[in-house]
Amino acid sequence: MLKRRQLFQFAGVAAVAAAGGAAWMYYGSPRSEALAGGPFRHYPFDPVAADNFQQKLFIPVGSGPFGVLDVAGPLKIRATAASFPLLPGRESPFLLYQTEQAGKAYQNPILRIESGARFTASLDNALQEPTIIHWHGLHTPAAMDGHPASTIGPGGRYAYDFKVNNRGGTYWYHTHAHELTAEQAYHGLASFFLVDDDDQRRVSKALDLQLGVTDLPLVIQDKQFDAQGKLLYKPGAHEAMMGWLGDIMLANLTPNAVQAVTPRTYRLRLLNGSNARIYRLAFVRGNKALDFTVIGTDGGLIERPETVSEAFLAPGERLDVLFDAGQARPGEDIFLRSLTFDAMENEGPAAGPGGMPGMSGMGMGQMMASMSSSRLPLGLEFNILKLSVTAGERVVAKLPATLSQVKPIPTEGATQRKIELSMGQMRFLINGYTFRMDEIAFDVKRGAVEIWSISNPALGMPHPMHIHGFSFQVLERIGSPPQIAAMARFGQGRTVSDLGWKDTVLVWPGETVRVAIDFAHDYPGDQTYVFHCHNLEHEDGGMMINFRVKA
Ligand code: C2O
Ligand code: CU
Ligand code: CU
């Protein structure tokens, strides 16, 4: 059996041959250099090459694209097709959420609201296709959640009105259109939903942080572009199954971004907004991974600051980190980087050469070409963002000893439930199900605490599993691969990314991850939510189930 990684080594050769082709003329791909044995990934905006990082990081301000919008009343949000200069000087078709408040216009606003406040918004679908907004991580009634069944057609309107029940934290919102989530999110329909509370303010005050200056929301995404510099999204059969990978890294929609920092502590609210790419994050100076401190995960602050030198971040997950740029001297560069890891795309016998359905009769070259169009295989090392340290007063932050309280969900007498991930017929399944709108995989009792044991077979691939409507706590990782076991410093096999309140957890091949969920809510009647893989191609491909919370 040939693993995908091995295939990539061949595919690399094919990519060299293709690099000088018309598709990459705009980038002036140096064919001769490539053919002469240079790095096959050499292309402008190649994130492996450190000296490519020259575009100023886009930092959200008071209005405009990604503007920070302090929600002060009902919003009218329009999902529209527009264009956006993602690559310098190149407009790309892009999808945007547009809204206004107090005479200011916003596109894909970073919504900020106080915990406990009421959030009221209407969504107008000005696209040519169906859409709906889902509030990722928020505890809302099912009708407010953006379940795929709530998808509205072109010209349609959906009214949202709910109380923000969640504690302070870095949440987000994105399209959840039935079977169109991957394509629409990739083309822009996503942004942050920041919830504020006293704990959050205490941290900001203690560290003298200011949103948009030293407290930076940072969405990380990988994209592909065509010869005209337009976003490219064309998954073939293999990519539809494995997930679409980009080969140009965007931080806040800036390719190869650089940000000047002074020798002080910054808060980075990292969101993996990629369709399928997993990152093994580190802050690197030269060859040395520097310390950083995790203060929050998906559902807000963790209990204590935890200092580490690396962490995985899967699609849908957030990691709130403090990074002390004073670890480098003025004039030095630090890279937020994704380190090498084993992508563990073992796939299983059905996916190997000769065994892949629909691929028999194809030549080797054809098969390679159909595998992945990304020049950046999963697990390869590359840069995401350059921090260039400038002169400035050295400020050494004093971290608070405690950040917040995370009360453990009482699990005594909890219902145990097995969630088994598997693969069949080129699709990934949950408990044998592929998503059907009207099919409920199981019922849970309102108010019940359940422990879900989510198991991923050894022959498979990593899946970031995400629940709607509720948050969970990760109890334990069992059977973790060595690269996870090596990071398991937090008891019961858990890594730093597993701490606190979570709504998405990465489950590696061979692993069982046990999570506790409290299904208490105070909405009237039965509530139906989805549980799905946040690899968006997997989600659209049906790696999703309905579960119903019975009143
Ligand atoms: Cu962020 Cu159902 O997803
Ligand atoms: Cu969600
Ligand atoms: Cu998956």
Side-chain angles (χ1 to χ4, degrees):
M1 186 189 65
L2 203 57
K3 291 183 178 186
R4 188 194 196 195
R5 263 172 304 128
Q6 294 169 297
L7 284 168
F8 266 123
Q9 288 160 11
F10 291 105
V13 177
V16 168
W24 292 98
M25 287 314 276
Y26 154 58
Y27 294 115
S29 230
R31 178 183 196 129
S32 50
E33 185 192 320
L35 292 178
F40 76 84
R41 276 172 286 94
H42 187 97
Y43 51 95
F45 300 106
D46 173 1
V48 177
D51 49 8
N52 277 342
F53 281 69
Q54 293 178 20
Q55 322 291 325
K56 212 185 148 325
L57 176 69
F58 184 80
I59 291 187
V61 286
S63 64
F66 265 139
V68 177
L69 190 163
D70 281 300
V71 179
L75 291 175
K76 278 178 178 258
I77 301 173
R78 275 180 316 281
T80 53
S83 87
F84 199 82
L86 290 168
L87 296 183
R90 300 275 162 165
E91 289 285 330
S92 175
F94 206 62
L95 304 180
L96 289 171
Y97 294 121
Q98 301 183 325
T99 193
E100 298 81 36
Q101 186 178 270
K104 287 191 206 162
Y106 298 82
Q107 298 88 40
N108 285 0
I110 295 182
L111 300 173
R112 187 163 66 165
I113 194 164
E114 182 71 15
S115 176
R118 182 169 170 195
F119 179 76
T120 309
S122 59
L123 168 69
D124 280 301
N125 182 3
L127 304 172
Q128 310 287 351
E129 56 190 40
T131 198
I132 194 67
I133 295 179
H134 163 60
W135 316 95
H136 181 125
L138 296 191
H139 177 58
T140 70
M144 297 292 114
D145 174 65
H147 185 283
S150 304
T151 302
I152 49 170
R157 167 175 285 194
Y158 201 89
Y160 295 96
D161 188 3
F162 58 86
K163 186 175 156 223
V164 177
N165 290 302
N166 292 66
R167 63 208 291 266
T170 304
Y171 305 90
W172 61 306
Y173 64 100
H174 59 80
T175 170
H176 221 289
H178 182 52
E179 292 179 340
L180 292 169
T181 298
E183 184 161 11
Q184 290 185 359
Y186 183 83
H187 284 94
L189 292 183
S191 188
F192 288 94
F193 194 103
L194 306 181
V195 178
D196 242 336
D197 64 4
D198 288 340
D199 285 348
Q200 295 284 337
R201 276 186 287 273
R202 212 171 300 124
V203 168
S204 293
K205 191 149 178 265
L207 297 161
D208 185 26
L209 297 171
Q210 204 189 327
L211 189 64
V213 182
T214 48
D215 174 352
L216 305 176
L218 197 77
V219 54
I220 300 169
Q221 295 168 310
D222 59 332
K223 310 245 186 236
Q224 288 192 40
F225 292 87
D226 69 9
Q228 279 72 47
K230 296 191 168 74
L231 270 182
L232 183 72
Y233 186 77
K234 272 208 182 98
H238 180 79
E239 289 164 312
M241 189 182 80
M242 304 301 288
W244 176 258
L245 297 173
D247 45 26
I248 293 181
M249 289 306 312
L250 307 185
N252 290 351
L253 302 183
T254 317
N256 296 348
V258 57
Q259 172 62 30
V261 290
T262 61
R264 60 157 290 151
T265 292
Y266 288 78
R267 176 180 184 174
L268 299 175
R269 300 173 188 247
L270 304 170
L271 159 64
N272 182 347
S274 311
N275 279 33
R277 186 177 292 277
I278 296 162
Y279 302 88
R280 181 182 169 194
L281 298 174
F283 291 87
V284 182
R285 186 198 57 211
N287 280 320
K288 191 179 182 313
L290 305 174
D291 282 349
F292 62 94
T293 302
V294 174
I295 57 168
T297 53
D298 298 345
L301 298 170
I302 57 177
E303 291 199 286
R304 284 176 298 281
E306 300 287 359
T307 297
V308 295
S309 59
E310 57 177 330
F312 276 102
L313 191 68
E317 284 188 305
R318 285 84 74 209
L319 207 58
D320 248 302
V321 309
L322 297 176
F323 178 69
D324 179 9
Q327 293 179 81
R329 279 186 300 278
E332 286 185 320
D333 291 330
I334 298 162
F335 284 91
L336 174 60
R337 183 172 291 173
S338 184
L339 304 177
T340 310
F341 62 92
D342 182 349
M344 298 194 75
E345 293 174 306
N346 307 316
E347 295 179 19
M356 182 174 280
M359 292 231 167
S360 48
M362 269 193 191
M364 195 64 167
Q366 264 177 302
M367 199 178 81
M368 293 309 172
S370 68
M371 294 300 275
S372 177
S373 47
S374 168
R375 290 160 296 182
L376 202 62
L378 191 63
L380 193 87
E381 179 163 323
F382 58 85
N383 301 299
I384 299 164
L385 167 70
K386 180 163 95 175
L387 300 172
S388 56
V389 184
T390 63
E393 193 198 338
R394 173 80 180 109
V395 184
V396 181
K398 215 175 144 294
L399 298 183
T402 59
L403 298 165
S404 74
Q405 239 209 325
V406 177
K407 276 225 296 222
I409 295 174
T411 52
E412 234 191 75
T415 306
Q416 307 275 340
R417 190 180 296 279
K418 281 205 169 90
I419 305 282
E420 274 162 5
L421 313 180
S422 63
M423 195 184 76
Q425 309 288 6
M426 295 272 287
R427 280 169 185 270
F428 290 101
L429 310 170
I430 303 174
N431 283 358
Y433 288 95
T434 191
F435 186 69
R436 280 198 22 220
M437 196 68 90
D438 52 0
E439 186 172 50
I440 310 267
F442 52 80
D443 285 323
V444 307
K445 266 205 233 89
R446 169 185 183 161
V449 170
E450 295 209 351
I451 295 176
W452 290 10
S453 294
I454 312 167
S455 316
N456 194 358
L459 273 179
M461 61 180 288
H463 299 287
M465 301 307 297
H466 169 58
I467 193 168
H468 281 216
F470 300 87
S471 296
F472 52 75
Q473 291 174 355
V474 178
L475 301 176
E476 188 178 16
R477 280 183 187 271
I478 304 163
S480 299
Q483 61 191 5
I484 299 303
M487 293 186 191
R489 282 178 29 208
F490 300 89
Q492 283 73 51
R494 294 174 309 157
T495 72
V496 74
S497 314
D498 299 326
L499 303 179
W501 286 100
K502 295 282 296 173
D503 54 60
T504 307
V505 68
L506 183 54
V507 188
W508 291 84
E511 259 190 332
T512 294
V513 178
R514 295 177 65 241
V515 303
I517 318 170
D518 180 350
F519 288 101
H521 68 79
D522 37 50
Y523 316 130
D526 295 350
Q527 304 288 327
T528 299
Y529 301 96
V530 287
F531 173 72
H532 65 85
C533 180
H534 219 286
N535 174 316
L536 296 182
E537 282 72 31
H538 290 184
E539 177 192 328
D540 283 347
M543 194 179 187
M544 175 156 74
I545 51 172
N546 281 309
F547 66 94
R548 180 170 51 194
V549 185
K550 289 285 269 181

